Amino acid sequence: SNSNFTRTALELNNEPIEEFRVYPSKNQQIVVTGLVTDNTGTPLSGANIVEKGTTNGVIADFDGNFSIIVRSEDPILVISFIGFITKEQPVAGLDKLNIVLQEDSAKLDEVIVTGYTSERKSDLTGAVSIVKIDEMTDQPLGSVNEIVQGRSAGVEVLSSNSPGGNAAIRIRGFSTIRNNDPLYVIDGVPTTTGINLINPNDIESLQVLKDASSASIYGSRAANGVVVITTKKGQDGKVKIAYDGYAGAMTVVKLPRLASAAQYGEGLWQAFANDGITPSNDIYGSGSTPVIPAFLDAQNTIPSANTDWLGALFNTALVTSHNISFSSGNEASNSFFSVGYYKQDGVLKDTGFDRYTFRANTNFKLGSKVTVGENFSVSFSNNTDVNTNSLLGSPIYGAFLMPSIAPIYNINGEFTGYPLDDIQNPLGALTRNRNNEDKTLRLFGNVFAEIQLAKGLKFKTNYGLTISNFSGTNFNPTFTEPNVQRVLADLTKSEQNLLEWTFTNTLNYDTTFNDKHNLNLLGGYESIESSLETLSAFRQGFPGNDPNFQVLNAGDSGTQQNTNMKFESSLVSYFGKANYSYDDRYLASYTIRRDGTSKLANNKWGTFSAASLGWKISNEAFYKSELVNSLKLRFGWGQNGNQDIPPYVTSSGYFSNAFNSNYAIDGAQNSVFNGYIISRNSNPDLKWETTEQYNIGIDLGIMTNRLDFTLDYFSKTTEDLLLERQLAPISGGTNSSVWDNVGAMNNKGFELGANYRNDYDRELQFSAGLNMSVIRNELTSLKEGVDFVGIDAVTLHSNNFDQEVSRTAVGQPIASFYGWVADGIFQDQSEIDAHSFQNASTSPGDIRFKDINNDNVIDDKDRAFIGNPHPDLSLNLNLNFEYKNFDLTAFFRSSFGNDVYDLTRYYSDFYNLSSYNKHSRIADAWTPSNTGSSIPRLSLNDPNNNIRPSSYYVKDGTFVKLQTLQLGYNFNPQLIENFSLSKFRLYLNLQNVFTITGYDGIDPEIGLQNYSSDDRNLDIGVDRAIYPPSRTVTLGLNIAF
Amino acid sequence: CSSEFLEKDPYGQLTQEQISKEENLESLIVGAYSILNGQIDNASNAFNSPASNWSFGDVVSDDAYKGGGGTGDQNNIHQMEIFSTNPSLIDIERKWKALYEGVRRTNIAIGILNETEDISSDLKQQRLAEMKFLRGHFYFELKKIYNRIPFLDENATSLTDFKVSNTELSNEQVWGKIETDFNDAYAILPATQSQKGRPTKYAAMAYLAKVYLFQGKWDQVLTSTEDVMLNGGYSLMDNFEHVFLPENDNSPEIVFSVQQSINDGNPSNYNGSIGDRLLAPGGPRYSAYGFLRPTQNLVNAYKTNSAGLPSMDNSELTMSDNVDPRIDFTLGRPGIPYKDLGILYQADWARDLATYGPYGPKKRIVSANSPHHLTVWPYVSALNYYIIRYADVLLWRAEALIHTDDIEGARTIINNIRKRARDGNKVMTLDGSSTAANYFIEEYPAFADANEAMTALRMERRLEFAHEGHRFFDLVRWGIAEQVINTYVAAEKEIRPYLNGVNFINGKHEYFPIPQSQVDLGGTDEGGNPLITQNTGY
């Protein structure tokens, strides 16, 4: 059950087919024709027919027919087809054969890569999701995340939607507060970076190791689950060439309708009236009704308009992908080589992503005992992106803020804006950013050697290397708009260099004794060292805004600023694993791993173990069920360690911080003295965070495995949570936290995976895959004196404009929404008088907030948990139909019960931020004659503080999406074989076909605010105007020679 | 080998041993000074913890509105302005953090200075004295803003030492500790400093005078201000306007200030007046964040009567009225030239005119023509923030003289301040042909009694120090905050309806609340009760 893990599932399942050659005629030749079908009579197009003992072979055509010339004396044909039992058929004088192949009931026996070894799927005792790559390679998918999304129970993908943008995979919820990203293991090399630089076409297989018993062999970094990726290898046989390409057009699906120039003015006048203020506005005048002037400025340069600012930011964007691969192999070596190009323009103007990938995988067999090889990839990407999902600095939110009356251009054709606010023209901002490219070059690969030392005993040594260089350019040109200008252009260049190596040595022994005992033992040693260096430089004062001035030397050297930092960390691990099976009925596995990390001081070492048991009930003699042909129970328990914290937090010293430690002690106006401050509050006693997980699973195969079910229940508890704990503010503002082991978090849930496939008649084939998960996350304890984890003020300011809307608190799921409970609208003064005191000037039309602590006054003690961003249930469904040469795929994703905090309403619904545009919904705000409204009365003064964080902002984000609808057409083999083609397929693909949701923002799937900060998991589901998902129409082509 | 492999030392970080060397210690001292400007971390919101106290001292008084893009813009400061302050507001926490960061940095420096033998004794004593001066400053600020404060000295070295009660020490004991720091500083510090950012002996004595003033220790105010006046070498500049030019920000009028610098090679210009970065007044030459807006009440206060004395009735000022010339150095009003820009300030410079009226800040805004003003984000300047300037010392003394029945002595001082305003330069029309308004200011001929003297003194402080972050704290220590603010609100709400319902509560609003996070995380006593007691009324 073990194998050299550079060989793949497909190779192992698929008997090597030698080159098909037509032999010169000898003395005898018989033409044999025949038909290959399954037991329902469905023709098996593509079945292999080989004359036994020769390399003479043919392939059955689309109707299952074949014709072969045989020359042997007693010719025997070997007929094989993937998923069916290979059959030997003597020709015995027949010239017309009807061959019926039986489906292989051991179809589950795919061999999959799990730990440092591989296992038969049927022998798995842990919770492993196998993503069916072959179902997806014929689809236009740009990244690993798109492959994983919705394909596996318990796996959630959070995405930024931007081209080449970030995404985060969450496996079985959030096991820790900080970094919940899984570990990726690519061809045996662990990595956590550069996932969007992987060419999806290069992926042969992808497994998600979800529970501790399957993942724990990866020890220290596996607590969040492991994604195991194996890239394509050369296959024995002649040179194969494949081309996969597509081109598509993307458009924005849905944008909110913001207030028109007239609606904004009418709302403003209504607010004046509600506040008892005589209307007066520099733009709309001071009459009894707002008047839209011809020009917004006294100089008559800014004509009034009715601009759809959001619509102005987006355009139809193109996506293209070309991928070509070559592979071949023979007894001595095999090789695979691919080049890929992917280009995605942003639907948001002037954004985009290009990716160039190159991969070479080869291996050589030196004699029968030694294999050496390498897997190597080079990726280069070029990304023009902007900050989104933020109240400050996002052009998308800028378009929410810019009043519609402002035109895009002034009379001179220059970008302009609204004279009363401080927002940069968002289209101008995008245009100014268009040359700001972030480039990443990444080399990733490994070399390995495997030696068979004795029968069943193999030694393997593997050296993996990641070298990655990020190079960013950020040029801010000069411009002048009303109230916003940049008089000096500035340029920041930044570099990040990562060097990481992994050296792994394993010894693996596999034996079977007394026919029934199968034992596999693995022992290993691994060391990892990682070094990251960052460098940035800044100047301002450039002679012009032309791209050819965008080098630092063109700027004013007197303004230069630079930074440089370097971080190193290392890990050492010893591990062992034993897999035992008895008579293919009882399975047991045990893993132990001891890890040491440079990131900890007094507690460097942690030991983690896992054990699992499996029982293949259907292999028992007493088992009789015909319907449920395979039945397996699994039980697993295990621990994983986590040490994913920034380096050095266990040691404190003194350093200079260019933002807050320098000072002009000599009174100078333009220079400072270097200052030192303490670097951090260190905690040398910090220790490993440990995640302990139980998993109970059942696997069922029904109707000869046409229908299979996998059901899992899990509970995982993380103890000694690693967290940068906030200290009482008396410890100061610069170092107001300390890394500590603070508490515990629990995730529990059910996962169901079901697959159905039935070839029920000759022409129409149907398969369906469904997965479902229910996960409950809860922070179960924190350290004494701490009852919640908040978001630090820096983040709150730049992302939320200082609104605290989420808290991670004991007894609640991570990142729960927090604020006052909006309990309807006051309809008259008597209701206000009867309610707890809110404000002396609270008026009908204001929001009634719940008096949580019943002290008759509404204050900050009346805040509560008001929503949960996590779904109650995730359900995904994939349907495939094949009819004659056509194939049709529909893929639905859905999420139920997840809340969204619609923070876009902060500016959009309230006139106490009066100079910014509003949402068109304010036209329906509460007035004495429109009392049914749920939108509070408009007010410039907002004495009731309606704008405060409350459940007014919390909306249901339940949705059902038709994510993919695809129609493909395979040309008949007979038609294309004249062109030496073995495959020619065209398809039309639609992404994001429709979304059913009650949420009225851009999209209910919010993703994270960002994908790299320490507290990125603390404000999930807050909508600050996200990058909209796009609807994509793609035409694709798959060719194989 | 693996144990060595797992040892990784941080780059760019000094050890305890290295920091104790003289050259590094000097940088540690600089690091403690650095926190004076309220920039505590890498974030851009030092406006929540401004050194100038524009929000804590001016917006909550009768001198200024919050301003900005509506009452929802920095809604937290709006809540402070309308006396709806709660302990969870970000400003309440960040100001506290900034001041305790100062306490912490000075305590660390004092601790290491006490231990080290790698520095000459004289230098060691002098740097210790500087650190005590700074610590005294941070505690003084804490005391006047938060009143009930926990006290930490250099012996509080570990995080567990930071769990301290804020009621353990009596009011007098806290003041006593602050006095001790300034007395210690006074004893050691030199009379002059070649590096202008360091306090002198007389800066320590001046600060001590302020500490006495806040306690009503009038005799000590007199002796300490006398020492400063006789020996400090301070003087008033000839022109009020020139006091606020960056070129003069270490002039003989300046006793102690936060040193600001721009274009100094550090990212984001956070060494400039970063806490005031939202104060840019708009118009063609400035960004328009538009915070800190003069109230109508303040504008009216500058009206003078036919005798050139404050008219005191707070009736609405018109362009034909006589005014104190300091008005047009202090605030932007429509029709008056703005600094040396050669243009008139216009009502449309003001952001959200309907809510916050037409006036803009001016005194501590640096000319857009000046190389010391940053024309790019974050629009800060290199103008120092004056913690104490000499006019302040003089008026403290005048106040003490009134309390000790020397109203003539007080009158002389007040008149000296007014004389400068009278005799100094004035804002001229754009063509330079005449003064921009009817400036008329005269000395007080006499005070009938101590009450009249005190009224004049209080008015003089308001006019001289408007928008320098002192007004609210003056009102509180005079015991008239409730009366002044509620009177101001009663009139002002007619033109600023957002002030409707605003009510200053005596016994509560004199002090800001202790941050909720300090109450929650500040530890408990043996009985499980929080060590931190919230201020009255919150």
Side-chain angles (χ1 to χ4, degrees), chain A residues 259-269 284 290 292 305-306 404-405 911 922:
Chain A
S260 66
Q263 279 174 326
Y264 169 85
E266 285 153 15
L268 184 61
W269 254 243
Y284 286 92
I292 294 177
N306 193 14
S404 301
I405 197 171
Y911 266 95
I922 55 103

Side-chain angles (χ1 to χ4, degrees), chain A residues 382-458:
Chain A
N382 195 348
N383 193 1
T384 306
D385 202 1
V386 290
N387 186 22
T388 55
N389 199 11
S390 171
L391 288 196
L392 295 179
S394 152
I396 299 179
Y397 203 58
F400 274 71
L401 297 179
M402 188 65 91
S404 301
I405 197 171
I408 297 174
Y409 304 102
N410 64 17
I411 54 168
N412 301 320
E414 297 153 340
F415 288 115
T416 188
Y418 188 61
L420 301 189
D421 73 26
D422 57 352
I423 300 303
Q424 191 182 148
N425 182 322
L427 192 61
L430 285 174
T431 305
R432 289 168 197 130
N433 180 67
R434 69 196 312 168
N435 295 318
N436 289 339
E437 293 174 336
D438 290 337
K439 298 185 165 114
T440 307
L441 175 66
R442 180 179 165 94
L443 285 73
F444 183 88
N446 64 310
V447 292
F448 65 89
E450 189 175 69
I451 304 162
Q452 180 133 21
L453 299 170
K455 185 170 183 296
L457 182 64
K458 283 178 186 166

Side-chain angles (χ1 to χ4, degrees), chain B residues 93-118:
Chain B
E93 180 178 289
R94 279 181 80 81
K95 183 71 186 176
W96 174 281
K97 278 185 164 179
L99 295 170
Y100 272 105
E101 180 64 26
V103 168
R104 189 167 183 195
R105 290 188 188 184
T106 49
N107 276 338
I108 287 170
I110 291 168
I112 293 174
L113 280 165
N114 279 335
E115 296 287 311
T116 188
E117 286 166 12
D118 294 327

Side-chain angles (χ1 to χ4, degrees), chain A residues 47 85 95 191 369 371 428 540 569 693 704 784 813 819 907 919 1004 1037:
Chain A
I85 296 167
D95 54 3
T191 186
K369 310 241 179 204
T371 307
Q540 64 186 188
S569 63
Q693 183 169 185
T704 330
E784 199 183 343
Y907 286 86
H919 192 279
L1037 176 66

Side-chain angles (χ1 to χ4, degrees), chain A residues 529-545:
Chain A
E529 187 170 47
S530 179
S531 165
L532 176 70
E533 185 155 9
T534 65
L535 189 65
S536 80
F538 168 93
R539 284 194 193 185
Q540 64 186 188
F542 286 80
N545 292 331

Side-chain angles (χ1 to χ4, degrees), chain A residues 481-555:
Chain A
E481 290 174 11
N483 278 331
V484 199
Q485 62 275 115
R486 189 181 295 110
V487 293
L488 292 174
D490 62 63
L491 173 66
T492 304
K493 290 271 188 186
S494 48
E495 294 269 331
Q496 271 180 41
N497 288 297
L498 172 75
L499 174 66
E500 183 169 286
W501 57 257
T502 307
F503 185 43
T504 313
N505 292 285
T506 54
L507 200 58
N508 190 2
Y509 180 63
D510 190 45
T511 185
T512 303
F513 49 96
N514 294 345
D515 281 343
K516 291 188 169 173
H517 303 272
N518 197 319
L519 180 66
N520 184 291
L521 297 172
L522 174 84
Y525 165 81
E526 186 170 83
S527 51
I528 297 173
E529 187 170 47
S530 179
S531 165
L532 176 70
E533 185 155 9
T534 65
L535 189 65
S536 80
F538 168 93
R539 284 194 193 185
Q540 64 186 188
F542 286 80
N545 292 331
D546 301 344
N548 58 336
F549 286 125
Q550 295 174 14
V551 290
L552 288 169
N553 281 5

Side-chain angles (χ1 to χ4, degrees), chain A residues 20 76 97 171 186 191 212 400 433 467 634 684 725 817 831 962 1002:
Chain A
F20 301 128
I76 296 173
L97 297 170
I171 298 171
I186 302 170
T191 186
F400 274 71
N433 180 67
I467 301 174
R634 293 177 280 110
R725 173 167 67 87
F817 300 135
E831 285 186 23
L962 176 52
I1002 290 172

